[in-house]
Amino acid sequence: MQRRNFIRLTGATLSGLLFADQGFARESPKTALQIPVKVFIRLEDGVHELISPDKLTWTYKDVEVKLAHQHGVLSVALRAPHSAVFNVQMQWSYPVSNDATILGDHWERTYGDVNFQPVNFERKLPWYFIEHDGKHTTCFGVKTGGSAICYWQAGGGKMQLTLDVRSGGVGVRLGDRRLRAAEIVATKNSGAENAFATARRFCGMMCETPRLPKKPVYGGNDWYFAYGKNSDALILEHTTLLTELAPDTINRPFSLVDAGWAAYSPALPDDCCWGDDFSRPNDHFKDMAKLAENIQQLGMQPGIWTRPLCARHDDPASLLLPKIPGRDNPKNPILDPTIPENMERVKRNISLYNQWGYKMVKHDFSTYDILGKWGFEMAADVTTPGWRFSDDSKTTAEIILQLYRSIRDAAGEMYLIGCNTIGHLSAGVFELNRVGDDTSGNEWERTRKMGVNTLGFRMVQHNKFFSADGDCVGLTHKVAWEKNKQWMQLVAESSTPLFISAQPDAVGKEQKDFIKQCFTIAAKPLPVAEPIDWLTNERPVKWKLNNQLKTFDWS
């Protein structure tokens, strides 16, 4: 395609960025992004610029990056039969308005740190970004389910997309296969469409086939009052309390058994989030199938928490990921997900929960266990350089996606909630995803920071990628009721999943009446909540809920 067929920059805002002329993709009315002006590759000996006679096929030695437009998507394919490839970098030239602000996503969960910010090229924008200049909204991103961990950078007259195709901390060795690394999509606001509506439409472009719950999800989770010190008796007490407050007879609530039920590791006898064997309960639970039956008899749907990549304390080193910072405690061995034997263990456990009678599985910690970092620690790099999986012929993104799909296959009809999972790889695989870091039953400030920010800036993904879980209401004596009441109302009326951790002796008549009201609301489909002041407030206080404007006080 000749450059004369492209619309040139206006120089005003990102809305004037080089988009492909619509004649470029006659099969589709979607906006398409222009071919980049430069492409680079990082190999073991450094970064190299690729050359291209036609701007579609870019080469350096044995490395080939092939670009193609189809149906409004710019696809990126990589071949490197002999070289170990670390990343591909693509650059476009453009100016940015001084009035523009940019919203990026996060690597996995958000951490109370997502908002619209001034343009800064040094800031990495995982997966996609949304630019707004007061009038126009422009979005750039990669489609979900790709084979690279991607991030954007914008500023200083250029935009750059980096496709991290490493396998662990080393370059991937593709051999003879061609890697479909990413599919790039872009859009601009249409007519009177505001930034929120444009961003939601764009999320639908990035994930065209989300997997969603058949009915709205709500119920209880014991974590934020028990914090792992739970038992089957406590679970049944919690279930009994909440089931009486759920009047909907068609869509019954869930009672999710969180961390603390599995057999403890002898190396970590007090660590509820680390289990030696997630196919066996500890002495506080004894019979998980019987517990699921009892929960169902009480009138709730049973759910269970698991940590899929925990290794047993006596597993051989040949099954484990190597030690790196954040993953170097010998008491916390991690299974290598590229070893078939390990994946069979993961799938057996997930299938077992189905056999026990659970209707939902919350699986946790897999991003941290694989990469050795939390999302807020990934600004410089998503993982420590130098380490490798047992199989380094697949990219980290491919390996994580294979783990997710294996869990999906083993789960059958059970709902899955990903926690500490990568949203861009979870989309279309899990019905629900925990989209923010933990709220709290101990301190209001943590719920205010994590919960409100999460819903404010990931509502655009809700029901477009998955059902977005902003985390629980920790209803305890330690958090003021007037604060928790607002958080409960926002979640209940937002159309997102509502889970309540209700410390039994902290629930009086007023709390029961309000929980019943919120359960009644959350059990039925609702319009997606819109944060009205999200462009300027990192913890939005003005919300459109069920087509009504409401204001909250998060102080």
Side-chain angles (χ1 to χ4, degrees):
M1 181 54 56
Q2 299 298 316
R3 294 181 66 85
R4 65 176 177 270
N5 292 327
F6 297 116
I7 300 173
R8 295 196 175 275
L9 286 169
T10 65
T13 67
L14 282 178
S15 298
L17 183 63
L18 290 169
F19 285 101
D21 192 306
Q22 292 304 302
F24 184 25
R26 294 183 178 87
E27 317 94 326
S28 170
K30 294 179 181 178
T31 303
L33 185 62
Q34 188 216 46
I35 298 294
V37 296
K38 291 183 179 181
V39 177
F40 300 87
I41 197 88
R42 184 184 168 210
L43 306 177
E44 291 177 319
D45 61 349
V47 177
H48 305 276
E49 185 171 356
L50 281 66
I51 59 173
S52 175
D54 61 2
K55 302 302 179 184
L56 294 175
T57 301
W58 301 73
T59 59
Y60 173 81
K61 293 186 176 179
D62 69 311
V63 178
E64 176 189 88
V65 175
K66 194 170 187 63
L67 309 178
H69 275 99
Q70 188 175 18
H71 304 296
V73 175
L74 176 60
S75 64
V76 185
L78 172 67
R79 285 193 72 248
H82 307 299
S83 298
V85 183
F86 288 71
N87 65 47
V88 178
Q89 296 176 350
M90 305 167 64
Q91 287 185 1
W92 293 260
S93 298
Y94 72 88
V96 183
S97 167
N98 292 332
D99 298 327
T101 57
I102 287 180
L103 172 68
D105 196 33
H106 221 301
W107 303 104
E108 38 109 4
R109 300 177 295 190
T110 63
Y111 289 86
D113 54 357
V114 178
N115 58 1
F116 281 88
Q117 297 182 14
V119 176
N120 178 3
F121 186 80
E122 298 306 313
R123 177 185 171 208
K124 294 180 180 178
L125 308 165
W127 307 111
Y128 65 83
F129 73 91
I130 300 160
E131 180 271 340
H132 186 70
D133 68 356
K135 295 181 179 179
H136 305 100
T137 304
T138 312
C139 308
F140 302 94
V142 295
K143 297 190 77 170
T144 59
S147 299
I149 294 176
C150 303
Y151 63 90
W152 299 80
Q153 293 168 271
K158 63 182 177 181
M159 178 177 77
Q160 180 170 290
L161 172 62
T162 298
L163 312 180
D164 184 342
V165 294
R166 287 176 297 174
S167 183
V170 300
V172 67
R173 295 191 174 276
L174 296 173
D176 293 332
R177 73 187 183 101
R178 182 185 296 272
L179 181 73
R180 192 174 180 84
E183 293 180 308
I184 305 169
V185 290
T187 196
K188 298 179 285 187
N189 64 296
S190 175
E193 188 179 56
N194 68 13
F196 184 77
T198 302
R200 277 188 56 75
R201 178 170 57 81
F202 182 61
C203 285
M205 290 171 57
M206 288 187 285
C207 180
E208 296 179 339
T209 55
R211 185 183 181 110
L212 299 175
K214 296 176 182 177
K215 298 176 183 177
V217 171
Y218 70 109
N221 177 317
D222 63 277
W223 178 254
Y224 289 107
F225 70 92
Y227 284 103
K229 297 185 183 302
N230 52 5
S231 65
D232 51 12
L234 183 61
I235 297 299
L236 292 177
E237 181 184 6
H238 193 231
T239 303
T240 300
L241 170 67
L242 293 180
T243 193
E244 295 173 352
L245 305 177
D248 193 295
T249 58
I250 297 174
N251 182 19
R252 296 303 296 165
F254 284 85
S255 178
L256 195 145
V257 183
D258 214 289
W261 67 268
Y264 283 94
S265 167
L268 294 166
D270 299 316
D271 190 340
C272 64
C273 290
W274 188 268
D276 203 53
D277 186 350
F278 277 93
S279 68
R280 292 190 298 114
N282 58 46
D283 291 340
H284 297 292
F285 284 85
K286 298 183 177 63
D287 189 335
M288 298 306 291
K290 183 63 175 176
L291 178 58
E293 180 183 347
N294 288 338
I295 290 172
Q296 197 140 5
Q297 287 178 349
L298 287 170
M300 296 182 80
Q301 302 183 72
I304 195 168
W305 179 95
T306 191
R307 187 169 180 169
L309 292 180
C310 273
R312 301 187 184 105
H313 73 283
D314 56 356
D315 273 331
S318 59
L319 295 180
L320 307 180
L321 287 174
K323 299 292 186 291
I324 59 172
R327 198 177 67 210
D328 52 5
N329 187 341
K331 295 180 180 180
N332 296 104
I334 304 294
L335 296 173
D336 184 331
T338 67
I339 297 174
E341 178 183 341
N342 292 338
M343 293 309 300
E344 288 304 312
R345 183 190 303 184
V346 171
K347 291 194 292 187
R348 278 198 307 272
N349 285 346
I350 299 296
S351 296
L352 179 62
Y353 308 147
N354 201 346
Q355 295 170 27
W356 282 347
Y358 288 88
K359 307 300 182 184
M360 173 187 290
V361 175
K362 177 181 178 182
H363 60 95
D364 202 351
F365 282 97
S366 58
T367 301
Y368 179 80
D369 287 345
I370 291 173
L371 299 176
K373 291 185 178 184
W374 304 108
F376 64 86
E377 300 174 316
M378 295 179 179
D381 198 346
V382 296
T383 193
T384 301
W387 68 274
R388 66 182 66 240
F389 294 101
S390 175
D391 178 1
D392 61 5
S393 69
K394 295 183 177 66
T395 69
T396 299
E398 288 182 295
I399 291 164
I400 292 174
L401 190 56
Q402 182 180 28
L403 170 66
Y404 293 174
R405 287 173 174 165
S406 296
I407 292 173
R408 171 77 272 156
D409 290 344
E413 293 303 310
M414 290 190 298
Y415 285 171
L416 292 173
I417 308 180
C419 188
N420 185 226
T421 48
I422 295 174
H424 235 69
L425 301 179
S426 304
V429 183
F430 309 142
E431 287 86 358
L432 300 91
N433 199 43
R434 258 281 304 281
V435 290
D437 195 16
D438 292 9
T439 54
S440 179
N442 291 327
E443 53 176 321
W444 167 246
E445 175 55 31
R446 186 172 182 91
T447 298
R448 186 176 81 94
K449 177 182 178 180
M450 302 299 181
V452 178
N453 179 266
T454 293
L455 282 192
F457 294 91
R458 278 195 161 167
M459 284 302 302
V460 295
Q461 298 177 2
H462 178 53
N463 289 347
K464 295 295 185 180
F465 287 6
F466 30 60
S467 184
D469 175 14
D471 206 13
C472 301
V473 180
L475 183 51
T476 69
H477 290 296
K478 296 180 180 180
V479 180
W481 168 239
E482 61 267 21
K483 302 301 183 184
N484 260 335
K485 184 177 181 180
Q486 291 190 91
W487 173 235
M488 192 186 300
Q489 179 185 4
L490 174 60
V491 178
E493 297 185 17
S494 69
S495 81
T496 65
L498 170 65
F499 287 104
I500 298 175
S501 290
Q503 182 179 333
D505 62 5
V507 180
K509 184 180 185 306
E510 182 181 357
Q511 287 80 14
K512 286 183 179 179
D513 289 345
F514 198 70
I515 292 172
K516 187 173 183 178
Q517 177 183 329
C518 288
F519 273 0
T520 301
I521 294 168
K524 295 178 172 58
L526 290 170
V528 173
E530 179 180 348
I532 301 301
D533 55 340
W534 75 315
L535 292 169
T536 56
N537 192 342
E538 66 180 357
R539 298 184 185 100
V541 299
K542 298 178 181 179
W543 289 79
K544 186 177 181 181
L545 301 174
N546 201 11
N547 297 317
Q548 295 183 346
L549 294 178
K550 297 187 179 180
T551 301
F552 294 89
D553 178 6
W554 304 124
S555 61

